[in-house]
Amino acid sequence: MSAAKVREAEQPLEPLIFTIRGHRVILDADLARLYGVTTKRLNEATKRNRQRFPVDFAFQLTSAETANLRSQFATSSLQNHDSYEKAPMWSQFATTSRRRRGPDFSPWSFTEHGALMAANVLRSKRAVHMSIYVIRAFVRLREQIAANEAILKRLAEIDKTLLQHDASLRDIYRKLLPLLQPPPQPPKRRMGFITDD
């Protein structure tokens, strides 16, 4: 494998994965670049083999979803260019001109299984090799989400316990408050001649 391919394989792919319609997906331009083909070739192969790409493998974004992604890229900060040979690893459709991708054309998004199927459909050695890295990125994301859910569940349990302890401590404080007050002053003996009436 060439040095450029090794550097690309070592780069984290998680920033290329988005959650759209409840699925974690990678966009066609990013997947095509990883597989070493043009976006047009990837989309042509997908269309020719449409029966291999059901909706849970690949789907075309709506214009609203495309606009939403474009706005996210427009407002996000630039990534560090030092570690990239050519361009940062973000979706190319957000930065390409309308001449290259018409305004009526929405990108395709591929789920984990769709990315693997695309590698099989393309039948190139690089696509098969890079599909391993793509699948591993999806798996790492799934593990991170599972770990985060476990942490959030534990934090919720701790929060509930703290609230219970807080209520108990408030109750104890209310009961101790009278004991913390200084004792009342005993009545002073009156001075002088006292008559009992």
Side-chain angles (χ1 to χ4, degrees):
M1 187 185 307
S2 71
K5 289 180 185 176
V6 169
R7 274 195 303 275
E8 191 169 88
E10 291 173 353
Q11 293 175 0
L13 300 180
E14 287 83 357
L16 300 177
I17 299 172
F18 304 99
T19 302
I20 301 173
R21 298 184 198 170
H23 299 283
R24 284 185 293 282
V25 297
I26 187 167
L27 300 176
D28 57 0
D30 295 323
L31 191 62
R33 188 173 44 75
L34 289 170
Y35 287 173
V37 297
T38 63
T39 306
K40 181 178 179 180
R41 179 158 181 253
L42 174 68
N43 289 335
E44 286 173 350
T46 303
K47 286 178 187 174
R48 274 195 309 268
N49 297 285
R50 192 66 192 122
Q51 72 280 3
R52 292 185 177 202
F53 294 94
V55 169
D56 58 331
F57 278 32
F59 54 87
Q60 196 166 18
L61 299 181
T62 64
S63 56
E65 290 167 336
T66 304
N68 185 24
L69 280 176
R70 282 190 179 135
S71 68
Q72 287 178 18
F73 288 120
T75 57
S76 67
S77 62
L78 292 176
Q79 297 177 7
N80 183 6
H81 292 279
D82 299 336
S83 63
Y84 299 105
E85 184 174 296
K86 294 180 184 175
M89 291 181 67
W90 54 31
S91 178
Q92 296 171 3
F93 86 88
T95 57
T96 58
S97 66
R98 288 184 178 223
R99 184 173 48 93
R100 294 183 124 177
R101 190 186 287 255
D104 298 335
F105 183 79
S106 293
W108 281 84
S109 57
F110 295 85
T111 64
E112 178 180 352
H113 303 311
L116 183 60
M117 187 62 72
N120 292 334
V121 167
L122 290 173
R123 294 189 187 118
S124 72
K125 287 183 181 179
R126 178 178 166 121
V128 171
H129 183 72
M130 290 303 291
S131 69
I132 295 168
Y133 293 105
V134 172
I135 300 303
R136 286 183 180 157
F138 276 102
V139 170
R140 277 193 304 272
L141 266 179
R142 192 170 33 250
E143 289 171 352
Q144 289 173 357
I145 288 171
N148 288 344
E149 287 176 358
I151 290 170
L152 289 175
K153 182 179 178 183
R154 181 66 182 133
L155 285 174
E157 290 172 2
I158 291 171
D159 191 36
K160 182 180 176 183
T161 304
L162 287 176
L163 287 174
Q164 290 172 349
H165 287 302
D166 190 36
S168 299
L169 287 174
R170 251 188 258 123
D171 188 41
I172 291 171
Y173 178 73
R174 273 190 233 115
K175 290 178 181 176
L176 288 177
L177 194 56
L179 298 175
L180 295 174
Q181 300 297 327
Q185 294 288 335
K188 289 187 178 181
R189 236 177 93 184
R190 288 181 15 195
M191 297 178 79
F193 184 69
I194 302 171
T195 63
D196 295 328
D197 290 338

